[in-house]
Amino acid sequence: MAAQIIDGKAVSAKVKEEVRQEIEREGLEVGLAVVIVGDDPASRVYVNNKKKACEVCGIKSYEYALPAETTEEELLELVDTLNADKNVNGILVQLPLPKHLNEEKVIERISPLKDVDAFHAANVGKIMIGNYAFLPCTPAGCMELIHSAGIDVSGKECVVIGRSNIVGKPMAMLLLHENGTVTVCHSRTKDLKEVCRRADILVAAVGRANFVTADMVKDGAVVIDVGINRTEDGKLCGDVKFDEVSEKASFITPVPGGVGPMTIAMLMKNTVMAKRIQG
Ligand code: NAD
């Protein structure tokens, strides 16, 4: 039987509406600064989408578009200014940065209280021990999608393909927090297919089009596709071979319209949380 599609657009609209209502109800003044360095077209699209989401939610957005030649010192200075700015509750530096800039150094400079991406080591550490204010937006969005489908993670075999700091590792941690039995796969994993076939919940965060095929998926599995790839003809697609996997899974997220919109919705949620923890 064909899988039910988890509609990320609908779930993200609901999350954003809840954020909007919360802001309106309490008369909160919330601001998000988005910093983009250089002119990467994909980053540009993400930044524009974040700006639009801010408008929908009633969050003031401040955009800083810096030239590709910006020095590390200049960028760190801007981060310091934003850290000190009372109107700015959340700071997001769009990654990837141009090669001459040290991403780790820049992220560590953001005040952990304004780190709405939850990439700062202090926030990562909090997530590790399960006592956090912010969750990284993409994994948090995946969890929200899993919940929206009424799936209880507890006791389930969960397999995450990918171990990046942004997606794979925190995703594994969030599944673990909800009592999943979690396996993390990566480029050195042996027998990937066999490991994936054990999964009740399979999360693909690889960055390769059509990487997950039907023979890697157990009948009735829940499949969450984080990948954002372009096919040769320029079309957007995920890591999962949707047509064949959707014949086997019980639930599946599409690309586009799955995890992508959730990432932005969770960013809005984190920005309001930032306002609250800053008092
Ligand atoms: P990354 O390149 O940092 O990590 C990819 C991971 O895949 C690595 O840990 C690597 O070990 C693993 N991998 C690579 N080849 C493999 C193989 N043959 N077998 C098993 N594992 C393999 O990427 P990332 O930042 O984690 O992003 C992953 C994908 O998710 C990308 O397509 C990215 O565009 C997308 N993404 C989407 C969102 C969203 O909002 N939907 C957000 C962030 C990233």
Side-chain angles (χ1 to χ4, degrees):
M1 211 174 73
Q4 279 190 50
I5 293 174
I6 307 178
D7 183 348
K9 269 195 197 162
V11 182
S12 74
K14 189 165 164 268
V15 170
K16 283 186 284 188
E17 177 56 18
E18 283 165 7
V19 170
R20 190 194 68 74
Q21 285 180 14
E22 187 180 344
I23 289 173
E24 191 181 70
R25 193 172 52 240
E26 300 187 32
L28 299 174
E29 282 186 17
V30 186
L32 172 68
V34 181
V35 182
I36 178 169
V37 186
D39 46 16
D40 177 57
S43 293
R44 197 62 260 162
V45 172
Y46 297 145
V47 166
N48 282 339
N49 289 341
K50 285 165 189 173
K51 220 162 118 184
K52 274 190 218 151
C54 282
E55 276 166 28
V56 168
C57 295
I59 293 173
K60 196 158 185 351
S61 67
Y62 304 91
E63 189 187 321
Y64 296 85
L66 308 181
E69 328 62 85
T70 303
T71 65
E72 197 165 279
E73 212 182 353
E74 286 167 332
L75 182 55
L76 292 174
E77 238 172 65
L78 173 61
V79 171
D80 288 343
T81 306
L82 297 172
N83 278 339
D85 187 339
K86 290 232 166 350
N87 294 319
V88 170
N89 303 109
I91 303 170
L92 183 147
V93 178
Q94 186 64 48
L95 303 179
L97 289 171
K99 293 237 168 341
H100 67 283
L101 300 170
N102 182 337
E103 285 184 356
E104 208 180 308
K105 204 166 162 189
V106 175
I107 289 167
E108 289 305 302
R109 193 72 160 246
I110 297 172
S111 159
L113 297 176
K114 296 191 175 185
D115 170 39
V116 282
D117 261 335
F119 292 165
H120 191 289
N123 286 323
V124 174
K126 284 178 174 226
I127 291 158
M128 193 78 180
I129 56 173
N131 172 23
Y132 43 77
F134 304 123
L135 288 178
C137 301
T138 300
C142 293
M143 295 308 293
E144 197 81 24
L145 290 177
I146 291 170
H147 297 152
S148 78
I151 294 146
D152 182 8
V153 175
S154 185
K156 300 256 163 52
E157 285 285 343
C158 305
V159 173
V160 179
I161 322 175
R163 58 172 164 187
S164 71
N165 289 334
I166 297 177
V167 189
K169 278 191 222 165
M171 185 69 218
M173 204 51 62
L174 299 194
L175 290 164
L176 191 59
H177 285 328
E178 295 198 10
N179 304 316
T181 302
V182 185
T183 306
V184 182
C185 298
H186 45 79
S187 51
R188 307 280 176 90
T189 297
K190 288 190 180 134
D191 298 330
L192 180 71
K193 185 161 106 179
E194 288 315 311
V195 180
C196 290
R197 280 167 68 97
R198 295 206 301 260
D200 301 311
I201 299 174
L202 179 63
V203 181
V206 186
R208 289 200 194 180
N210 297 325
F211 184 82
V212 176
T213 45
D215 59 344
M216 295 165 76
V217 176
K218 175 165 132 179
D219 272 325
V222 175
V223 179
I224 307 292
D225 189 352
V226 183
I228 301 178
N229 311 294
R230 293 249 170 223
T231 58
E232 276 170 12
D233 53 4
K235 270 175 72 181
L236 215 58
C237 71
D239 288 346
V240 175
K241 210 164 186 182
F242 186 87
D243 290 349
E244 57 179 58
V245 173
S246 61
E247 289 299 317
K248 235 174 150 183
S250 58
F251 289 93
I252 190 166
T253 64
V255 178
V259 175
M262 289 308 296
T263 298
I264 297 179
M266 301 319 278
L267 174 68
M268 300 298 110
K269 219 171 156 172
N270 278 354
T271 307
V272 178
M273 175 57 79
K275 170 80 183 178
R276 292 200 184 285
I277 62 174
Q278 285 155 32

